[in-house]
């Protein structure tokens, strides 16, 4: 009885961690595309090799905690399991914390 329960808990933990990562999706093109993306029309599209990291457009000069700069974008670092959005106004939504010009999802 304990083994199925432990497996179910492990699956839930892995699923929630994966959902918390920055989404890997096309981004509006701002200058050159970030590492792991290619230009297609007015977008930067993740490469098909599966090596692309989640990215957001850079706001100001820095990137949020867990991200690094790649041109006009911030890419999620390999060990980062958090999602970030650009901050709108002075605060962040419930469950998110401020990191420079961004809001980062709490674990």
């Amino acid at each position: 009885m304990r083994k199925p329960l432990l497996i179910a808990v492990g699956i839930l933990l892995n699923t929630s961690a994966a959902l918390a990562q920055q989404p890997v999706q096309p981004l509006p093109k701002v200058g050159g595309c970030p590492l792991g993306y290619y230009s297609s029309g007015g977008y930067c599209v993740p490469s098909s090799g599966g090596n692309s990291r989640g990215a957001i457009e850079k706001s100001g000069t820095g990137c949020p905690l867990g991200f690094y700069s790649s041109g006009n974008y911030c890419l999620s670092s390999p060990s980062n399991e958090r999602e970030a959005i650009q901050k709108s106004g002075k605060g962040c939504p419930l469950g998110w914390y401020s990191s420079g010009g961004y809001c980062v999802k709490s674990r």
Side-chain angles (χ1 to χ4, degrees), residues 12-79:
L12 284 173
L13 289 175
N14 285 336
T15 302
S16 65
L19 293 175
Q21 293 177 345
Q22 190 67 29
V24 178
Q25 60 190 9
L27 303 164
K29 187 174 177 187
V30 179
C33 292
L35 184 66
Y37 289 72
Y38 66 92
S39 179
S40 178
Y43 291 88
C44 291
V45 179
S47 299
S48 59
N51 298 2
S52 300
R53 303 226 158 263
I56 56 174
E57 192 177 324
K58 192 186 294 182
S59 175
T61 59
C63 291
L65 183 66
F67 290 75
Y68 63 94
S69 181
S70 179
N72 293 318
Y73 299 89
C74 294
L75 287 174
S76 182
S77 62
S79 61

Side-chain angles (χ1 to χ4, degrees), residues 67-101:
F67 290 75
Y68 63 94
S69 181
S70 179
N72 293 318
Y73 299 89
C74 294
L75 287 174
S76 182
S77 62
S79 61
N80 183 33
E81 293 185 352
R82 296 190 174 153
E83 185 178 350
I85 56 174
Q86 289 186 355
K87 192 186 294 182
S88 178
K90 294 183 180 183
C92 293
L94 186 62
W96 298 68
Y97 65 89
S98 181
S99 178

